[in-house]
Amino acid sequence: MTAVLTAEAIQVGPDLAGWLAAGGGEGLERALSDPASIIPTLEAAGLRGLGGAGFPTHRKWAAVAAQPLCPEGGGKWIICNGNEDEPGTFKDRFLLSRTPHQVIQGALIGAIAVKANRIALYVNPRETGLVEMLHAASAAWRQHPLLARVGGAIGMPVEIHVSPSSGLYVGGEETAAVASVVGGFPFPSLKPPFPAEKGVYGAPTLLNNVETFAHATHILGRGAAWYRGLGLGDAVGTKLYSLSGDVMRPGLHELPMGTSLRDLVFGHGGGMLADKGFKAVFTGGPSNTLLTASDLDVALDFDSLRARGSRLGTGAMIVVGEGTSILRKTAEYVAFFAANSCGQCPSCKIGTNQVSRILERIEAGAGRPSDLAALENLTRLLPGSGRCGLVDGAATVLASSLSTFGEEYRQALKL
C-alpha cells in the first residue's frame, strides 16, 4: 500500500510550490468548490480524531460550524494541536517538519467548513527547528493567492499564526491549549463549555491533532471511499504508529489502520531487540492498559483495542522485552506524570507524587508490605478526580501493571 501522509512526493518542507506541483492542493480546491460537502465527506470517510480520544471528526467540525461568529474573540479559531510531549510519541513533529503543507491545508479546509478566520499552529517550543519551519511554511501561504481564496470563501481574511505552547505535557489538553494560545498558563478547565462553544478569547474554536488535519487534506482530495478502502477489516484509513522500545527497527510506520500488533512489531519493526521474548507493550503511549503476548494478534484500531480494555491513543507503541522490568517502566512513566501535573487539582498533584514515591521505594528494594495495598487503593481513588486526563493516565498504567504483572511487585516486596 502506498503511504498517504509520509510519501516521498510530499516531503518538501516549507516549499509550497513543490507541494502544489506534486498535486498537494487538490483537497483544498475541492473544498473551495463545494464547501457544504466537507463535513459530510469526513463523516462518510469515518475519520476520527488521531490525537488520542478518537472522537468522530465530523461531529466536532459540525459543532463549531453551528456556532455564530464571536467578533469580540476575533471570529472563530482553529488550533492545530502539535504540542506532543508524551513519551513514545513522535508522529506530529515528523509531519510538521517534513510535510507541513498537508497539515496547514487540512486546517484551511477546516476553516472553510466551520467559517474560521484564525488558525493557530500550536507547537512545542523545544522543537526550535520545527518552529522555524512552520514560520517559513506559514509565510509561504500568506504570499500565495490560495489563502485569499479561502478568505473569500468564508467572507473574511484568514490569518495563520505559529503559536508556541508552554512546552508542558498538560498543555496538549484542549482547554489548556486554549489557555496557552491566549497567553495564559495551560491550566485545564472544567467542561462544559467545550472549546467548540467558547474557546480562544471566548470564540468558537475547532481543535484537532496535527495528524487529523493531515488526513482531512487527503480525504477531500481523493474521496471518502478511497480513504475507507485503506484500512483493514472494519477500520478505515491509515495510521502513524510511533514504535519504540525493545525492537530492532524503532521509528515511525504509516500502515493501514487495523494492522495487527504482531505485524507491527515482528514485521515492520524487525522483531525483538537481541532476540528477547516479547513481554508487553504500552499502547497509545504510557497512559493506557498494557497488552501482552496473548494480545499480539489484536488489530491496532480504536474499537479492537477498546474491546481488549486498552486504547489506541496517539498510536505510540512502546515495546517491552523479557528481562525488562515492568515495575521499573511503570515507575518511570508515573514519575513523568507526577512531574507534569499542573498542580491545579490536589488529587492529581498529591496523588501522582504519592504513587511515584511508593513505586520508587519498591523498585529500590525498600518497599513495605503495606505498599501494595496502598497502590491498589490509589488506583480506585484517583481516576476521575482531576480536570484533565493526566491523573487518569497515571492510575490506568498503574492498575494495568498491578493486574498483569503483579508478581513483579510481590517479588520486589518479598510477599
Side-chain angles (χ1 to χ4, degrees):
M1 187 205 74
T2 301
V4 176
L5 306 181
T6 56
E8 290 296 330
I10 59 172
Q11 293 180 9
V12 294
D15 179 12
L16 179 56
W19 158 256
L20 296 173
E26 187 175 356
L28 184 55
E29 290 290 351
R30 291 189 179 179
L32 285 165
S33 67
D34 189 6
S37 72
I38 297 173
I39 294 175
T41 298
L42 296 182
E43 180 177 8
L47 180 65
R48 295 165 71 167
L50 297 166
F55 188 78
T57 303
H58 73 277
R59 289 174 56 187
K60 183 177 282 191
W61 289 32
V64 179
Q67 296 295 318
L69 289 172
C70 176
E72 298 83 4
K76 289 185 183 180
W77 283 75
I78 286 178
I79 297 178
C80 180
N81 192 351
N83 186 61
E84 195 172 56
D85 193 51
E86 189 171 23
T89 303
F90 42 86
K91 64 185 179 67
D92 293 342
R93 69 196 72 175
F94 176 93
L95 290 175
L96 289 171
S97 62
R98 299 291 293 277
T99 63
H101 295 303
Q102 66 179 333
V103 178
I104 295 173
Q105 181 172 299
L108 289 170
I109 290 170
I112 297 169
V114 307
K115 297 192 181 305
N117 59 314
R118 297 177 187 270
I119 296 171
L121 304 175
Y122 183 70
V123 292
N124 199 309
R126 290 194 297 274
E127 301 291 334
T128 54
L130 175 55
V131 173
E132 293 175 5
M133 170 76 74
L134 288 178
H135 277 297
S138 300
W141 278 98
R142 294 188 198 99
Q143 297 165 11
H144 199 282
L146 268 174
L147 187 62
R149 289 178 58 196
V150 173
I154 66 173
M156 56 190 131
V158 176
E159 300 177 7
I160 303 174
H161 307 271
V162 178
S163 181
S165 74
S166 62
L168 301 174
Y169 168 70
V170 73
E173 193 274 337
E174 61 178 6
T175 60
V178 168
S180 189
V181 167
V182 302
F185 187 84
F187 282 127
S189 59
L190 292 173
K191 295 177 285 191
F194 292 90
E197 304 165 297
K198 187 176 181 181
V200 179
Y201 296 116
T205 300
L206 173 63
L207 192 146
N208 273 128
N209 175 256
V210 163
E211 187 182 358
T212 309
F213 282 120
H215 278 275
T217 286
H218 298 289
I219 291 169
L220 266 293
R222 305 189 198 183
W226 163 83
Y227 186 75
R228 295 192 74 90
L230 296 174
L232 299 178
D234 294 331
V236 303
T238 66
K239 182 73 187 81
L240 293 175
Y241 299 100
S242 303
L243 183 64
S244 63
D246 296 333
V247 291
M248 291 295 294
R249 291 198 296 269
L252 192 66
H253 300 268
E254 184 183 3
L255 301 169
M257 181 78 85
T259 294
S260 72
L261 178 58
R262 185 185 303 277
D263 192 21
L264 176 63
V265 173
F266 291 94
H268 302 280
M272 299 299 295
L273 190 67
D275 292 325
K276 293 182 177 182
F278 178 91
K279 184 175 183 178
V281 60
F282 292 86
T283 61
S287 58
N288 292 316
T289 302
L290 283 155
L291 297 182
T292 65
S294 63
D295 301 300
L296 277 169
D297 292 316
V298 69
L300 297 177
D301 60 62
F302 294 107
D303 297 330
S304 299
L305 285 171
R306 185 176 291 112
R308 296 287 179 107
S310 189
R311 292 184 298 172
L312 180 63
T314 62
M317 300 291 156
I318 307 170
V319 178
V320 181
E322 292 290 350
T324 299
S325 168
I326 292 295
L327 171 57
R328 176 67 252 161
K329 299 298 290 185
T330 302
E332 290 175 5
Y333 294 142
V334 172
F336 168 81
F337 289 123
N340 280 273
S341 173
C342 71
Q344 183 179 202
C345 304
S347 60
C348 176
K349 184 64 176 178
I350 297 170
T352 55
N353 273 281
Q354 184 178 359
V355 172
S356 182
R357 286 195 300 270
I358 294 173
L359 289 175
E360 290 291 344
R361 185 167 66 229
I362 295 173
E363 206 273 331
R368 306 163 186 166
S370 60
D371 283 342
L372 190 58
L375 291 175
E376 289 171 343
N377 284 333
L378 286 165
T379 66
R380 292 187 286 269
L381 291 171
L382 294 179
S385 63
R387 292 191 172 191
C388 73
L390 187 148
V391 67
D392 292 356
T396 296
V397 71
L398 173 63
S400 180
S401 67
L402 285 168
S403 173
T404 311
F405 295 95
E407 187 58 29
E408 288 194 16
Y409 288 84
R410 287 186 285 274
Q411 288 179 359
L413 290 166
K414 298 179 174 59
L415 295 177

